[in-house]
Amino acid sequence: ALSNVHLLDAPLSQQGKEQVEAARTIIQELILDRGLPMPTSVLTSPLQRTLQTTAIIFPDHPGVHMRECLRERRTGLPCDERQPAMAIHKRESFAFMSSM
């Protein structure tokens, strides 16, 4: 199943989106109700599903940084392959993230 080319840089599944929304709620409660400081920086991998996770949890956060070195191991399977960070950065939904 993991060798299926339809998994190339796969987006979050519906279940994944639901899990991220639950995590966002928990993080917001920790920040707003319990005094946890908002992170000054958020580092993320350039895999589409990690970018989507970051965009949902920290929408428009000014300190989001996409880093090539933060990724799952390269297995050669489609699910672990993605576009270069600079190409992803050009997409409007991820344009607020810096890339290096």
Side-chain angles (χ1 to χ4, degrees):
L2 292 178
S3 60
N4 186 327
V5 294
H6 290 95
L7 294 178
L8 182 64
D9 197 14
L12 282 172
S13 65
Q14 185 58 41
Q15 180 181 7
K17 289 176 185 177
E18 291 167 7
Q19 291 171 338
V20 171
E21 287 293 344
R24 178 182 179 182
T25 299
I26 292 168
I27 291 170
Q28 286 178 336
E29 288 173 359
L30 290 170
I31 292 170
L32 298 174
D33 299 338
R34 300 203 179 184
L36 184 74
M38 175 69 80
T40 55
S41 294
V42 178
L43 303 176
T44 186
S45 157
L47 286 169
Q48 183 174 202
R49 60 191 175 269
T50 61
L51 294 169
Q52 290 173 318
T53 298
T54 303
I56 291 168
I57 294 176
F58 298 106
D60 303 315
H61 189 291
V64 175
H65 309 284
M66 194 182 340
R67 295 292 184 261
E68 294 282 350
C69 62
L70 297 175
R71 60 169 299 139
E72 296 173 4
R73 61 191 166 111
R74 296 193 78 175
T75 62
L77 296 172
C79 61
D80 293 331
E81 298 301 318
R82 44 90 182 135
Q83 297 177 3
M86 289 304 295
I88 295 166
H89 186 263
K90 294 176 183 176
R91 293 173 50 187
E92 186 175 330
S93 55
F94 306 127
F96 72 97
M97 301 178 185
S98 74
S99 59
M100 290 180 71

